[in-house]
Amino acid sequence: MSSMKSKYWSCVAAAVFFTAATSLAQAAEDTGPIKIGVLADMSGTTMDMSGPGSVVAAKMAVEDFGGSVLGRPIEILSGDHQLKPDIGSQLAKRWYDTENVQLIVSVPASSVGLAVQFASRERRKLMITTGTITSDFTGKYCSPYAMQWLFNTNALANGTVKTLVNEGRKSWHFLTADYAFGLALERDAAKIVTDGGGKVVGRIRHPFNATDLTSFVVSALASDADVIALANGPPDNTNAMKAITEFGGLKPNSVLAGLFVAISDIHGAGLKATQGLLLTEGFYWDMDERSRAWSKRFFEKTGKMPTAVQAGDYSSVLHYLKAVKRAGTTDADKVAEAMRAIPVDDAFARNGTLRKSGLMVHDLVLAKVKKPEQSKGPWDYYDVVHTIKGEMAFPSEESEGCPLVAVSETKK
């Protein structure tokens, strides 16, 4: 009997200890730092577009917010996904599972972004990407915990492609990176071309980060297309632009369209190789007084003007912290609801709105790269042709193909 009593009280003691330990862990979680992880390419081909600059931007958001929220300090972590989905996914899982990271931001490269999105959904933790561009992210793969802050392939096509088609440039030849992002960008752009009465006269697919684009560029230049469209990103876009210049440039009646180009790409390739390029941007440092003031602070810290990705990382972190304060908790569902309830208004975007699908809709700019003699100096690279209103740039929420929207509409 005494043995049974001893076992009973041992079990009781163990249960009390477990409960106390769990309570202490929960208390530590509720009072410890709120951790935000910047998951980016810190050493590879897109590091200038995101990389260390994205970490700086996130820290600026924390600084501007005041350094704490709900009485808890805010901590920024950084990680290098090396443009590899498996590494990005593993790091995201470790951050969520063992380091109590509440939010992951940046995540350039669509293949990595989709992998991290899956980890985010599994763990009911938030992620906001500025570097994952495929429209599938907030389309068929949409998640209540994942948000797309900068733009998507559909919006990029709506800006650059629709403008050129409306100008009468109806024949298109695509130079496309053969992976998720490039294929989605070509798909969305080609649809706008054909819907506008145009025709895709050629497609060339090349590997990501190809060491030599010569044969691809020569084939594209041989085309009689009105537009040669670069459905790729860094470093392939800059390598293609340099190669086109080396081979004598475009035919007199052709134009070059950069479907995804960052200002860091223009800076790296130079105005001689990029002059005349038409592109759509989610942010330009010289848009207005607010963008110039914030970009000047960023430049003082980094020696570079921010890319749209980096400015978007600042905005997404700042908006998240505003939502945590409004919700009074870091619970992902409640914070996401608060993020959708308040407009995005900062140096990056004016009156932006976050949809149920996770897509943040805001104004974009259509820009043309200046000739070398037109530039006043480094980073003075764009002539802004016009502002594209968010409702015109982005597809309607119903047409995105997000199952969450379909479920929401059915409940109504």
Side-chain angles (χ1 to χ4, degrees):
M1 188 73 174
S2 60
S3 175
M4 291 180 63
K5 286 183 177 180
S6 176
K7 289 181 179 179
Y8 170 78
W9 287 113
S10 294
C11 289
V12 171
V16 170
F17 176 79
F18 177 79
T19 302
T22 302
S23 298
L24 286 171
Q26 185 65 49
E29 181 177 310
D30 290 343
T31 58
I34 292 176
K35 297 181 180 180
I36 299 171
V38 179
L39 184 55
D41 172 20
M42 298 294 180
S43 55
T45 56
T46 63
M47 67 175 292
D48 289 336
M49 181 182 71
S50 59
S54 288
V55 180
V56 171
K59 289 181 177 179
M60 288 175 68
V62 172
E63 177 186 339
D64 289 351
F65 189 78
S68 65
V69 64
L70 307 182
R72 299 165 61 182
I74 304 160
E75 182 179 334
I76 298 294
L77 284 66
S78 64
D80 185 358
H81 61 50
Q82 302 175 42
L83 297 175
K84 297 178 180 178
D86 57 337
I87 292 178
S89 177
Q90 290 167 12
L91 184 51
K93 290 175 182 178
R94 176 165 63 80
W95 275 357
Y96 286 141
D97 293 343
T98 66
E99 299 193 35
N100 195 34
V101 168
Q102 299 294 332
L103 170 68
I104 291 176
V105 299
S106 201
V107 203
S110 292
S111 57
V112 182
L114 291 170
V116 174
Q117 182 190 44
F118 183 77
S120 161
R121 182 197 290 268
E122 276 191 325
R123 285 150 180 79
R124 299 169 65 93
K125 291 287 188 78
L126 294 176
M127 75 167 289
I128 308 174
T129 182
T130 52
T132 294
I133 310 299
T134 174
S135 56
D136 291 337
F137 187 87
T138 52
K140 62 183 179 180
Y141 298 131
C142 68
S143 162
Y145 304 103
M147 301 159 191
Q148 196 169 37
W149 211 254
L150 182 53
F151 40 48
N152 61 13
T153 50
N154 199 302
L156 287 173
N158 261 328
T160 305
V161 179
K162 187 171 288 186
T163 297
L164 289 171
V165 170
N166 289 342
E167 288 179 359
R169 296 188 177 274
K170 300 290 188 179
S171 61
W172 288 66
H173 192 293
F174 286 93
L175 186 61
T176 303
D178 194 9
Y179 68 111
F181 159 70
L183 297 175
L185 189 52
E186 181 195 295
R187 176 197 67 203
D188 293 343
K191 184 178 187 305
I192 291 174
V193 171
T194 55
D195 286 351
K199 183 179 180 181
V200 177
V201 298
R203 290 181 171 92
I204 298 176
R205 306 271 170 78
H206 64 79
F208 169 68
N209 196 17
T211 54
D212 185 3
L213 288 174
T214 300
S215 61
F216 304 104
V217 167
V218 169
S219 296
L221 289 175
S223 167
D224 289 327
D226 297 327
V227 181
I228 293 179
L230 303 180
N232 50 23
D236 299 312
N237 53 7
T238 55
N239 290 340
M241 288 184 281
K242 289 176 182 177
I244 288 170
T245 301
E246 290 170 4
F247 283 96
L250 302 173
K251 294 180 179 179
N253 295 325
S254 296
V255 297
L256 185 64
L259 301 187
F260 178 54
V261 179
I263 195 170
S264 53
D265 301 329
I266 304 299
H267 188 74
L271 292 181
K272 183 179 179 181
T274 60
Q275 59 184 312
L277 182 76
L278 195 69
L279 57 98
T280 299
E281 266 285 24
F283 171 89
Y284 179 43
W285 69 268
D286 201 17
M287 289 191 305
D288 56 29
E289 287 302 322
R290 290 178 75 181
S291 63
R292 283 190 286 273
W294 182 82
S295 298
K296 181 182 178 182
R297 291 172 51 212
F298 183 91
F299 184 87
E300 290 169 351
K301 294 176 182 291
T302 64
K304 302 175 181 180
M305 284 300 180
T307 65
V309 167
Q310 292 159 346
D313 289 328
Y314 167 85
S315 172
S316 65
V317 171
L318 186 64
H319 195 74
Y320 167 79
L321 294 173
K322 291 176 181 177
V324 169
K325 181 179 180 180
R326 178 187 177 108
T329 178
T330 57
D331 177 83
D333 291 288
K334 293 178 181 178
V335 172
E337 183 180 355
M339 290 180 72
R340 293 183 175 95
I342 54 180
V344 181
D345 186 19
D346 50 43
F348 171 76
R350 315 289 179 273
N351 299 312
T353 56
L354 183 62
R355 289 178 174 175
K356 182 77 173 178
S357 66
L359 182 64
M360 202 277 277
V361 176
H362 59 102
D363 294 349
L364 307 179
V365 296
L366 186 71
K368 188 174 184 179
V369 178
K370 293 181 176 182
K371 296 178 180 180
E373 61 270 22
Q374 293 175 320
S375 174
K376 298 175 183 177
W379 305 104
D380 178 32
Y381 297 151
Y382 296 161
D383 276 325
V384 176
V385 178
H386 63 256
T387 297
I388 310 169
K389 292 297 182 183
E391 59 269 23
M392 300 300 295
F394 293 89
S396 66
E397 190 163 16
E398 294 73 24
S399 68
E400 284 187 76
C402 171
L404 295 174
V405 175
V407 170
S408 175
E409 293 300 315
T410 299
K411 287 182 178 179
K412 289 180 181 179

